[in-house]
Amino acid sequence: MRHRNRPLRTATAVLATAALGAGVLGTSPASADPSPALRSAKAAVSTDSTPSTIAAEWMAGELENGLLISGTNPDFGLTIDTGMALSTVSSQGGTVTAINNTLEPRIAEYVGNGTAESYAGALGKAAAFARVAKKNPTSYGGINLIARLEERTADVPADPAAEPQKAAIAGRIFDKSASGNFANVVGQSYAVRALTLAQSTEAATARDFLLKQQCASGAFRADFANADLPNQSCTDGVAGSEVDPDATALAVINLVESGDKSAAVVGALAKAGTWLADRQRNSGAFRAAAPVSKINTNTTALSGYALGLLKNREASQKAALWVRKNQPVDKYKCRTALTKDTGAVAYRKDRVKASTTSGIPAEARDEWRRATAQAILGLQFAPASKDKLRIVSVRKQARSGERVQFRVFGLAPSESACMQVKGDFLRVKGKKSGDKIVRKLQLPAGNQRRVGLVKTSDDEARTSLRVSN
């Protein structure tokens, strides 16, 4: 099996990380440390580290002094998503540290000042990132994120029977803001993860409220019911209970990472995993909920990663293969305007076609970043190649102008590559089966030995044959 854990581009990535950290890194870079849940999920499968690694390298290059910028402003949420995704890639510990060293002093800009403004979902997500970055969420940037999150989590009333409405919302997170309350199910799942890992006394109640958001079908909805309604649970088919694959996948991911092994959580994860697997298309892709309602790499990567953590090997690999198809890799004569953005993942296939001539448009770059940040996760389960990368000519000599058959071995499923002889080239992708690729290339004029090449994002192989006029 070919496991390219040290791609040829690693040296470039190290330089990019060093430049990123200049003036930011206050401590030695730590190696990324995939969670026990991810290590366990990947222990029994053979995966290719290349697609997640090159996606991570591209995302690291998009950071500006440790932050991702949307328009002219820091996007703290996307930066945290990126940091958490990069923590799953072994070579990106320095980048995670750089993100943390910029984010931590500014965390109040994301979670609120704690008085007039305090955002529950952001607090949960920030606390989850703090742990990934090997920091203490009870003292992060001078803020006790856990204590603030507990303040934003509804308490169980002293007498539930006397206060049924308070009992109904016990464990639910709420924002405190002049702009309104925008807490939702995704934020609740991050809050459960953060409170559980902190061994908070409010963790179980927050978890129970999250589980209320799971419908009988196994899916989670995206939004809560109005806080004044007596029924705070999801009800399939009822307005306000529309199921959402992204919310379901994130609920699964955060529940798994919380380490909660209670019977209620185990049962909820099994139901959610079944629902996600049933929603997967034959291609491996997933469709987003309305109003998006389109197949895309974000939904597919998150769903595939969730299924991977649940150890559904077949479903997670199918999703990873589909995501990898949307990661253009153009080398040698196959170069396009996207070559300089090798590793980036498109939100949808049509974005690749639209960008091959002029590159990623400035106004679309944010979309590519969001797609790639989540793609890193789903690509963790991309299957490995069966063999070492090789190219073989079926003939030892041929005449110029002839089309000669070449065989390529060792391409991982859905892996992009470029085959080339002087004057001719072809783009190819690895078969799902991992079997050899057979293609013909036209030989150039000239009485001399010619080289046939195959190039992937991080590897290359060559062969030769004698050509005569």
Side-chain angles (χ1 to χ4, degrees), residues 77 96 238 275 335 351 377 435:
V96 175
V238 174
W275 184 86
R335 287 180 64 87
R351 272 48 164 195
L377 298 176
D435 292 338

Side-chain angles (χ1 to χ4, degrees), residues 127 398 443:
L443 299 178

Side-chain angles (χ1 to χ4, degrees), residues 169-464:
I169 63 170
R172 173 173 166 165
I173 60 170
F174 289 86
D175 290 338
K176 182 179 182 181
S177 174
S179 301
N181 173 37
F182 297 98
N184 58 25
V185 175
V186 170
Q188 185 81 25
S189 72
Y190 278 107
V192 169
R193 175 176 174 174
L195 292 171
T196 302
L197 292 172
Q199 300 182 338
S200 167
T201 56
E202 298 193 36
T205 307
R207 173 204 65 204
D208 292 345
F209 190 84
L210 173 62
L211 296 185
K212 284 184 181 180
Q213 311 316 307
Q214 185 176 31
C215 309
S217 64
F220 284 76
R221 60 183 178 181
D223 296 307
F224 299 137
N226 290 338
D228 59 350
L229 294 177
N231 181 15
Q232 291 290 306
S233 299
C234 179
T235 306
D236 281 311
V238 174
S241 289
E242 292 81 8
V243 297
D244 190 291
D246 293 76
T248 302
L250 284 166
V252 167
I253 292 166
N254 285 322
L255 283 170
V256 169
E257 292 292 0
S258 77
D260 189 326
K261 306 291 188 191
S262 65
V265 168
V266 170
L269 289 174
K271 288 175 60 179
T274 298
W275 184 86
L276 283 171
D278 288 345
R279 193 178 181 89
Q280 188 174 34
R281 301 172 71 86
N282 290 336
S283 65
F286 285 80
R287 185 183 299 276
V292 176
S293 304
K294 292 181 179 179
I295 293 169
N296 65 85
T297 52
N298 282 41
T299 305
T300 302
L302 284 177
S303 299
Y305 187 66
L307 288 165
L309 291 180
L310 294 177
K311 300 182 180 180
N312 186 331
R313 177 181 180 181
E314 180 180 358
S316 61
Q317 288 194 340
K318 282 175 63 179
L321 291 178
W322 190 86
V323 173
R324 192 171 193 177
K325 286 181 180 179
N326 289 276
Q327 185 180 44
V329 174
D330 301 323
K331 297 291 183 178
Y332 284 153
K333 289 291 185 179
C334 300
R335 287 180 64 87
T336 70
L338 284 173
T339 300
K340 63 182 181 297
D341 287 302
T342 294
V345 177
Y347 179 66
R348 286 171 55 82
K349 184 178 180 180
D350 59 350
R351 272 48 164 195
V352 177
K353 185 177 180 181
S355 300
T356 52
T357 302
S358 57
I360 300 174
E363 65 275 13
R365 204 159 193 89
D366 187 66
E367 181 186 85
W368 282 75
R369 289 168 175 167
R370 293 177 191 279
T372 306
Q374 295 184 340
I376 292 168
L377 298 176
L379 290 170
Q380 287 290 334
F381 293 98
S385 58
K386 293 181 177 181
D387 197 2
K388 174 183 176 181
L389 185 65
R390 293 182 292 133
I391 182 170
V392 177
S393 171
V394 298
R395 296 170 62 180
K396 294 185 178 180
Q397 58 185 11
R399 292 193 174 276
S400 60
E402 283 191 271
R403 291 177 55 78
V404 173
Q405 189 180 94
F406 290 85
R407 296 174 181 174
V408 175
F409 301 83
L411 283 182
S414 289
E415 181 174 25
S416 297
C418 185
M419 294 174 59
Q420 176 192 341
V421 294
K422 184 177 181 180
D424 197 13
F425 66 91
L426 283 172
R427 293 182 180 86
V428 294
K429 285 188 182 291
K431 295 181 179 179
K432 287 184 179 180
S433 63
D435 292 338
K436 68 180 180 292
I437 300 288
V438 180
R439 296 288 189 275
K440 288 184 178 181
L441 293 171
Q442 187 170 17
L443 299 178
N447 292 305
Q448 65 183 88
R449 184 166 290 278
R450 296 293 184 180
V451 175
L453 302 166
V454 62
K455 173 76 172 177
T456 67
S457 65
D458 65 345
D459 204 356
E460 64 178 71
R462 58 187 62 207
T463 188
S464 66

